[in-house]
Amino acid sequence: AGIVGSLGCAFSTITGNAIHDIKKDHQYGGCESCGIKLHGFVDGIISHNHVYDCEHWGGIWLDWMAQGARVTGNLLHDNSQDLMFEINHGPFLVDHNLLLSGNTVTKVSSCGCYVHNLWTDDISIWPTEGREPPFFKPHSTEIVEWTGINQSDDRYLNNMFVGCNGPAILDENDFTCAAAGNVYLDGAHPSKSEVDPVVAEEMNPGIGLSEETDGWWLEMKSDPDWTKAIERGIVTTELLGKGAVTDAPCEQGDGTPYRLDRDYFGKERSEENPSPGPIELTGETSVRVKVWPKE
């Protein structure tokens, strides 16, 4: 594995790393083989990492008790799966990530807040199999209670889903969610829980990621109508609300509220109507940007 921890990783920051070629040849078994694999990642931050070519369990895996965690501004591609959230009560925040493997994001958790991501990955739902992890008092590791997972407590706000199943998979599993401001392209579908999604099933934005001499570049088509079609607001702690199980707000580790007003590069977002996805769009019909390293 690249980086591994179990509870000792609580309150940690993992940032600026390039993690790749994990278990490429499958020489051995086991369930910790991943780019980043953490248990008990309380109030931790995984930010601005490049995670790719990770096999078996994939790129980033938060397993049990990820309460108050944030996964933000990461570039993931060519992994067996980009993200996995297993048996967490949350709330945890997943924002402004490029999820480009075209495989899966596995969700077996409560109160995942997915905001301003670019997804080419299907959402895979696993059963909880009766497992009951603990949740904590906010910003601590003091256990409050051990209890079951509520998979109808997610939020999907201002994401772009491209060529993947999208939150519609929740409907197939009889789960609901809070969803708004998302864009669905190239066959991706919204959940029935979402009102006024932007759906362009025939639109293929032609996402391309290439390694050049100075780094990794992302190219894709864009459409100003994705922003004009509906009005979106800046996503905040108040908007995200509290977890159904923990009754805890989705907030920063020091208890201050989130205000997600900067994009993948740290560029200020439009206050009046921020664009969907991780990169703030300003009306262009095509995008070509260097996404790693960030400069």
Side-chain angles (χ1 to χ4, degrees):
I3 297 174
V4 171
S6 183
L7 197 59
C9 57
F11 315 114
S12 297
T13 297
I14 298 172
T15 190
N17 302 284
I19 299 174
H20 56 90
D21 291 279
I22 301 299
K23 202 178 179 185
K24 289 286 289 184
D25 297 321
H26 301 275
Q27 303 99 324
Y28 47 85
C31 286
E32 311 307 316
S33 51
C34 191
I36 300 173
K37 167 65 190 294
L38 305 170
H39 291 82
F41 195 52
V42 177
D43 284 357
I45 300 173
I46 299 174
S47 65
H48 313 299
N49 300 285
H50 184 194
V51 185
Y52 62 102
D53 283 336
C54 297
E55 298 292 339
H56 196 49
W57 293 104
I60 298 173
W61 181 5
L62 301 186
D63 186 1
W64 286 69
M65 304 175 293
Q67 183 171 324
R70 186 181 186 187
V71 179
T72 182
N74 300 285
L75 169 62
L76 298 105
H77 62 93
D78 295 294
N79 300 303
S80 57
Q81 67 175 348
D82 280 334
L83 303 174
M84 183 171 181
F85 301 102
E86 183 179 4
I87 312 298
N88 305 286
H89 286 303
F92 56 87
L93 176 62
V94 183
D95 67 288
H96 294 95
N97 299 286
L98 300 170
L99 309 174
L100 303 180
S101 290
N103 288 318
T104 57
V105 168
T106 299
K107 185 198 92 71
V108 203
S109 291
S110 305
C111 202
C113 302
Y114 304 94
V115 182
H116 281 293
N117 301 289
L118 173 59
W119 305 61
T120 64
D121 295 335
D122 284 339
I123 299 172
S124 175
I125 307 295
W126 280 12
T128 61
E129 299 174 334
R131 290 182 289 177
E132 297 186 345
F135 68 91
F136 306 107
K137 290 184 177 180
H139 315 304
S140 78
T141 56
E142 183 178 345
I143 293 175
V144 174
E145 183 182 351
W146 298 69
T147 190
I149 295 295
N150 179 353
Q151 292 214 68
S152 288
D153 192 33
D154 287 341
R155 297 93 166 101
Y156 297 86
L157 304 176
N158 301 352
N159 299 280
M160 295 180 63
F161 295 92
V162 180
C164 57
N165 59 13
I169 191 65
L170 300 173
D171 303 334
E172 297 177 22
N173 288 269
D174 296 323
F175 299 135
T176 59
C177 65
N182 300 297
V183 173
Y184 300 87
L185 308 173
D186 194 23
H189 297 288
S191 165
K192 292 184 292 186
S193 301
E194 184 163 359
V195 177
D196 296 328
V198 177
V199 181
E201 289 190 32
E202 303 303 318
M203 167 61 171
N204 182 345
I207 294 172
L209 181 70
S210 59
E211 185 178 14
E212 302 183 16
T213 55
D214 60 344
W216 293 79
W217 287 77
L218 175 73
E219 295 184 75
M220 62 179 290
K221 299 174 187 175
S222 178
D223 188 338
D225 286 344
W226 299 342
T227 300
K228 297 176 183 177
I230 57 174
E231 291 188 5
R232 300 173 179 85
I234 297 294
V235 176
T236 63
T237 288
E238 182 179 8
L239 180 63
L240 294 172
K242 293 185 176 182
V245 175
T246 63
D247 195 37
C250 186
E251 62 187 8
Q252 299 186 71
D254 61 2
T256 56
Y258 283 119
R259 181 175 174 79
L260 303 182
D261 56 1
R262 293 185 178 270
D263 75 355
Y264 174 88
F265 297 106
K267 175 185 175 182
E268 290 186 11
R269 288 195 171 275
S270 166
E271 291 283 334
E272 292 75 25
N273 190 15
S275 65
I279 298 169
E280 185 67 8
L281 304 172
T282 56
E284 54 269 66
T285 57
S286 64
V287 174
R288 174 174 158 81
V289 290
K290 189 169 77 168
V291 292
W292 185 270
K294 297 182 184 180
E295 296 177 351

